[in-house]
Amino acid sequence: INSPTKSLLFTRLSFAVGFVGHMKTGRSRKARGLWLLFLLISCSFLLLLPPWLTISGVFHPPEPSPFLLHELPWLKLAEPHNGTFANACRYPLTNRTDPPYLLVALIFNRVHGSDLFGIGPYECRQWIEYMLYAGVEHIFWYDTAHNNAETLEVYIRPYIRARLLTYVRFHQLFPNSLSESFHFEQDNSYRHFLAHFAHRGKWVVQIDVDEYPFSSADQSSCFLHRLIREYEVRSPDTSQILLQCMIFAGNPRGDLVNGWVIERYQRRKYETEGVEKGYQSRQKPIYRADLCKGIVSENPHGVWMGEGKTVVASDERIRMNHYWGARESGFKPDTRESTAMLVSDSSIQPIASIIKKVTGLVKKESDTMGVFLRSMVQW
């Protein structure tokens, strides 16, 4: 090849190499720019994530506005002739030795993912609101959470601040007891209450979170107060009132996400379960705290009373709606045989509608991310 041709080829080859190099340099600069932009966006996201999680309520889920007892809104809806206004559910103190409350509720409870019945914070708040409507002046809540991810404290904090609820972490009282059965948790929660808080209430209703006292004859607020007053006047030697349980069974219906428990289960057995004596008897007690001598081990259907008489209330006057649900059938689909023993019963719905209207507790708030983060912290 002659020299002019060689020179031309060399020039073109140099140009091609330079062009490729320029392209590579341009692409490299562009890639570096994209990487820098990605890193900038990522860092900004990571910096803004914690404030956003805090504001959105992941770490501290949104709380309903706390009420003082005399400010509870449903008391304003009560009938004037029943005297159920501002001080409706307050115990009138006759002397300084009286307990501060006429009626308190005692409950132990654990919220955990393996519970197929699905009792969570939303359902627990429903129960609290209902019990306050019924006439309970204060609730003693023993949380048997096995770790921080299960604890309910953040969800029921408004009631604690309003001095409507005393919250106790059970396994902080009894360290190294996680391997014990729920009977251990139940019995010792009740015994701890009797040892430390029995002086706070004259009467105690001992109950579970899936149980709702109900009177078909009296659905106005503070109906449990009026029941106790009746017994104090007509039968002053009564120290324990046993409420017969009405079992609500079958699979849930209606709004399974935002509906209340008492709305999801509106089919029950034909008769109450609480008349026959013995362990199979389904009853729940309301008892005089100062006359109680102890807890019967592994039996929540009554307590050991040292004085007075124990009576079984008429289910027409008062009963305990026990929302047992699909547990009776092992969470299997309803069958013709299982539903044949059930009858529709929506008589509690008017109370649910009133409480939902005045409290605004009508929607389940998602806290999936919060549960995950608290689980990671616990881990």
Side-chain angles (χ1 to χ4, degrees):
I1 304 175
N2 54 30
S3 296
T5 304
K6 288 181 180 181
S7 178
L8 180 61
L9 288 175
F10 178 78
T11 300
R12 291 181 177 180
L13 182 60
S14 300
F15 175 80
V17 171
F19 179 78
V20 172
H22 175 75
M23 289 294 292
K24 287 184 177 181
T25 302
R27 290 179 181 178
S28 177
R29 291 176 179 174
K30 186 177 181 180
R32 284 199 301 269
L34 291 175
W35 272 110
L36 289 174
L37 180 62
F38 173 77
L39 290 175
L40 180 61
I41 294 175
S42 299
C43 291
S44 301
F45 175 79
L46 293 176
L47 289 174
L48 294 175
L49 180 61
W52 178 80
L53 291 176
T54 302
I55 295 173
S56 63
V58 170
F59 295 115
H60 300 284
E63 303 172 348
S65 300
F67 296 103
L68 297 176
L69 189 60
H70 65 276
E71 295 174 340
L72 293 176
W74 52 75
L75 298 181
K76 300 174 184 178
L77 301 179
E79 295 81 1
H81 64 272
N82 285 335
T84 49
F85 279 93
N87 61 349
C89 296
R90 293 299 294 171
Y91 178 40
L93 301 177
T94 57
N95 57 68
R96 294 183 179 180
T97 61
D98 284 338
Y101 305 114
L102 174 69
L103 177 63
V104 300
L106 172 59
I107 180 175
F108 91 105
N109 184 65
R110 178 190 175 197
V111 171
H112 55 101
S114 58
D115 177 20
L116 297 179
F117 189 59
I119 292 290
Y122 180 54
E123 289 72 22
C124 289
R125 290 199 295 265
Q126 296 169 18
W127 184 89
I128 292 173
E129 297 288 0
Y130 184 94
M131 295 304 293
L132 294 175
Y133 175 91
V136 168
E137 298 171 64
H138 196 83
I139 299 169
F140 291 88
W141 191 291
Y142 285 79
D143 188 350
T144 57
H146 285 198
N147 53 60
N148 290 336
E150 293 180 351
T151 180
L152 276 175
E153 183 176 7
V154 68
Y155 300 98
I156 60 179
R157 189 174 294 156
Y159 307 103
I160 302 173
R161 291 173 177 170
R163 298 183 180 181
L164 296 172
L165 187 146
T166 295
Y167 177 83
V168 181
R169 277 290 293 273
F170 178 86
H171 290 288
Q172 291 179 354
L173 296 176
F174 299 90
N176 305 317
S177 60
L178 289 176
S179 60
E180 300 288 348
S181 70
F182 78 93
H183 284 301
F184 175 89
E185 298 171 336
Q186 183 179 56
D187 293 347
N188 286 287
S189 293
Y190 296 163
R191 288 168 181 152
H192 184 273
F193 167 82
L194 290 176
H196 295 85
F197 301 120
H199 64 283
R200 300 284 303 280
K202 185 177 181 180
W203 291 83
V204 182
V205 54
Q206 192 171 284
I207 193 171
D208 294 330
V209 75
D210 61 351
E211 296 170 336
Y212 289 69
F214 174 72
S215 172
S216 58
D218 183 3
Q219 299 189 28
S220 300
S221 61
C222 304
F223 61 84
L224 281 182
H225 256 239
R226 289 186 286 277
L227 173 79
I228 291 173
R229 292 300 190 191
E230 288 178 13
Y231 275 97
E232 288 185 333
V233 172
R234 298 178 182 178
S235 182
D237 58 340
T238 297
S239 60
Q240 181 172 212
I241 308 168
L242 298 179
L243 277 58
Q244 302 178 49
C245 287
M246 181 71 79
I247 303 297
F248 283 70
N251 282 280
R253 294 177 172 180
D255 188 348
L256 304 186
V257 177
N258 297 318
W260 279 33
V261 169
I262 56 181
E263 295 176 313
R264 300 173 197 166
Y265 299 93
Q266 296 192 345
R267 293 176 296 165
R268 61 166 175 82
K269 293 187 177 181
Y270 285 88
E271 298 179 348
T272 55
E273 300 185 353
V275 179
E276 297 181 4
K277 296 181 179 180
Y279 183 76
Q280 295 300 322
S281 177
R282 302 295 184 186
Q283 301 166 339
K284 280 303 175 74
I286 302 177
Y287 59 89
R288 281 277 301 271
D290 59 330
L291 302 180
C292 180
K293 295 301 181 182
I295 299 298
V296 182
S297 182
E298 299 189 11
N299 183 7
H301 304 294
V303 296
W304 174 32
M305 302 302 298
E307 300 179 30
K309 67 178 182 181
T310 295
V311 299
V312 179
S314 166
D315 63 317
E316 296 179 355
R317 177 63 183 87
I318 189 76
R319 74 190 191 202
M320 187 70 74
N321 283 7
H322 190 179
Y323 293 90
W324 190 249
R327 286 176 290 202
E328 191 165 88
S329 61
F331 298 97
K332 297 179 181 178
D334 289 336
T335 64
R336 183 176 300 177
E337 292 76 14
S338 65
T339 56
M341 60 180 179
L342 303 179
V343 59
S344 297
D345 186 345
S346 59
S347 54
I348 201 172
Q349 183 62 49
I351 296 180
S353 298
I354 291 174
I355 302 176
K356 289 172 66 176
K357 179 180 179 180
V358 298
T359 63
L361 189 61
V362 297
K363 185 176 181 180
K364 184 175 183 179
E365 297 165 347
S366 176
D367 190 36
T368 304
M369 181 62 70
V371 172
F372 171 74
L373 292 175
R374 286 191 289 274
S375 301
M376 293 299 294
V377 171
Q378 176 66 23
W379 181 80

